[in-house]
Amino acid sequence: MSTTISTVALGDDIAALPRARPAPPARRRPPLKLAALWPRVRGWLLAWPVPLAVLALWQLAASYQWIPAQILPAPLTVAATFVDLFNTGELQSNTLISLQRVLFGFLTGAVLGLALGVAMGLSPLVKDYLYPTFKAFAQVPSLGWLPLLMMVVGIDEALKIILIAKSTFVPITLNTYKGLQGVPSSYIEVAKVYGFNRWQMLRRVVLPAAFPPIWNGVRYGLTHSWLALVGVELLASSEGLGFLIVYGRQLYQLDVVLAAVVVVGAVGYALDKILALIEARLLRWRRDAF
C-alpha cells in the first residue's frame, strides 16, 4: 500500500515540474521566387541591346571602312591597345593619379559643402547672409574659374584640387541645405512632445530625416568631381587619364584615346555604384520599417 502511495506521489511531483519547452524551429530564409527576380533580370537584359548594337555598328564601320581607321579604329584594335597600356603599367599609373586627385578634391569639397549646408539649413541668419552669394558662385562652371586660378596658383596640383573641390562643393551644399529645410514640421512637433533638447532633436530627428537628400548630394558631388577632373586634366595636366586622352590625340593615336575614354567611363560608373551600395546599406532601416 505504501509503495503505491509513494509511486503516485512521485508521479504527481514529476507532473508538477515545469516541462522544457521545445526549441523553436530555425528560421529559414524564404526561397527566392522567379517572379520576384524577373524585374531585376529583365532590367539587366534590357540594358544590353543598345551597347551591343553600338559595338556591332562600330565593328561594321571599321570592317567596311565607312570611316577611316585613323579616325575610328576597330574595337579589337582598341582592346589590344588597352592590353598594351595595362601591361606597360601606364594605364594603372595614370588612373591612380586621377583617383588621388579626385579623392583629395572630393573630401575637401564635401567637408566644406556639408558645413555650409548645415549652417544655412539650421540658421536663417546664416542663410540670409550667405545663400545669395552661394547661388551666384554656383552659377559659374568650374572650368570658368580656370584662367583666373591658373594666374593665381599656377598649373600644379593645387589648381586641380581647387576645381574638383568646387565641383563637389556646390551639389553637396545645395542638397544638404534643401534636405534640412525639407524635414517635415510634424517630426519636430513630435520631438518637442517627447521633450527632446536641441542636440537630441538634431541627432535623432533632423539629420536622419535629411540624410537621403544629403547622400544624394554626396553622389552628385562625386560625379561632378570626376567630370571636373577629366576636364581640367584635358586642359592643364601632364599626368592622369585626361592627359592620356590628350596625348593620344596629339600623336593621332585614336585607339589610345578610346581606351582612355572607356576607362574614364568605367571608373566613373564604378564610383557611383559603390556609393549606391553604401546608400542601400545605410538606408536599410527605411525598408525594414515598412
Side-chain angles (χ1 to χ4, degrees):
M1 185 68 176
S2 61
T3 304
T4 305
I5 293 174
S6 62
T7 304
V8 173
L10 182 59
D12 294 339
D13 293 339
I14 294 175
L17 293 175
R19 297 181 178 179
R21 296 181 179 179
R27 292 185 178 180
R28 296 181 178 178
R29 294 183 178 180
L32 295 177
K33 297 181 179 180
L34 294 178
L37 290 177
W38 171 242
R40 185 179 303 178
V41 175
R42 179 176 178 272
W44 184 81
L45 291 175
L46 291 178
W48 280 102
V50 172
L52 290 177
V54 171
L55 189 62
L57 183 61
W58 179 8
Q59 180 62 46
L60 288 175
S63 300
Y64 290 96
Q65 297 183 353
W66 296 340
I67 301 177
Q70 294 81 3
I71 298 177
L72 185 65
L76 294 179
T77 304
V78 175
T81 302
F82 178 88
V83 174
D84 292 339
L85 291 173
F86 185 86
N87 291 335
T88 59
E90 189 175 357
L91 188 63
Q92 298 94 307
S93 61
N94 284 284
T95 302
L96 182 60
I97 291 171
S98 295
L99 287 175
Q100 290 175 346
R101 289 169 177 167
V102 165
L103 177 63
F104 293 140
F106 172 75
L107 290 179
T108 303
V111 171
L112 296 176
L114 288 172
L116 181 59
V118 170
M120 292 193 302
L122 298 180
S123 174
L125 183 62
V126 174
K127 178 228 173 184
D128 292 338
Y129 272 114
L130 298 181
Y131 190 72
T133 304
F134 166 75
K135 288 293 291 183
F137 174 77
Q139 299 305 315
V140 181
S142 297
L143 295 182
W145 298 97
L146 182 62
L148 177 62
L149 290 175
M150 289 177 66
M151 297 179 63
V152 175
V153 299
I155 60 172
D156 294 330
E157 291 299 307
L159 171 67
K160 304 168 185 62
I161 301 301
I162 292 173
L163 288 177
I164 295 170
K166 189 270 178 184
S167 301
T168 305
F169 171 76
V170 172
I172 291 182
T173 301
L174 190 58
N175 279 268
T176 302
Y177 165 71
K178 295 293 185 182
L180 292 173
Q181 290 289 306
V183 175
S185 58
S186 58
Y187 292 4
I188 308 298
E189 295 173 0
V190 172
K192 290 180 179 179
V193 170
Y194 279 95
F196 285 4
N197 57 33
R198 186 176 181 85
W199 169 245
Q200 289 175 326
M201 189 178 300
L202 178 64
R203 181 174 62 89
R204 301 178 62 180
V205 178
V206 176
L207 289 180
F211 181 79
I214 292 175
W215 188 259
N216 285 336
V218 172
R219 291 183 63 180
Y220 291 145
L222 183 59
T223 301
H224 290 182
S225 66
W226 184 248
L227 296 176
L229 164 81
V230 176
V232 72
E233 285 184 345
L234 287 172
L235 298 175
S237 181
S238 59
E239 294 175 308
L241 291 173
F243 164 75
L244 197 60
I245 294 175
V246 174
Y247 175 78
R249 180 186 62 81
Q250 290 175 346
L251 298 180
Y252 224 75
Q253 296 177 349
L254 275 301
D255 50 344
V256 175
V257 173
L258 291 176
V261 168
V262 170
V263 175
V264 168
V267 173
Y269 179 80
L271 292 175
D272 184 71
K273 292 299 290 184
I274 290 172
L275 289 185
L277 293 175
I278 296 175
E279 179 183 9
R281 186 170 184 83
L282 292 176
L283 298 182
R284 187 172 53 187
W285 61 271
R286 293 169 63 91
R287 298 193 305 268
D288 296 340
F290 295 96

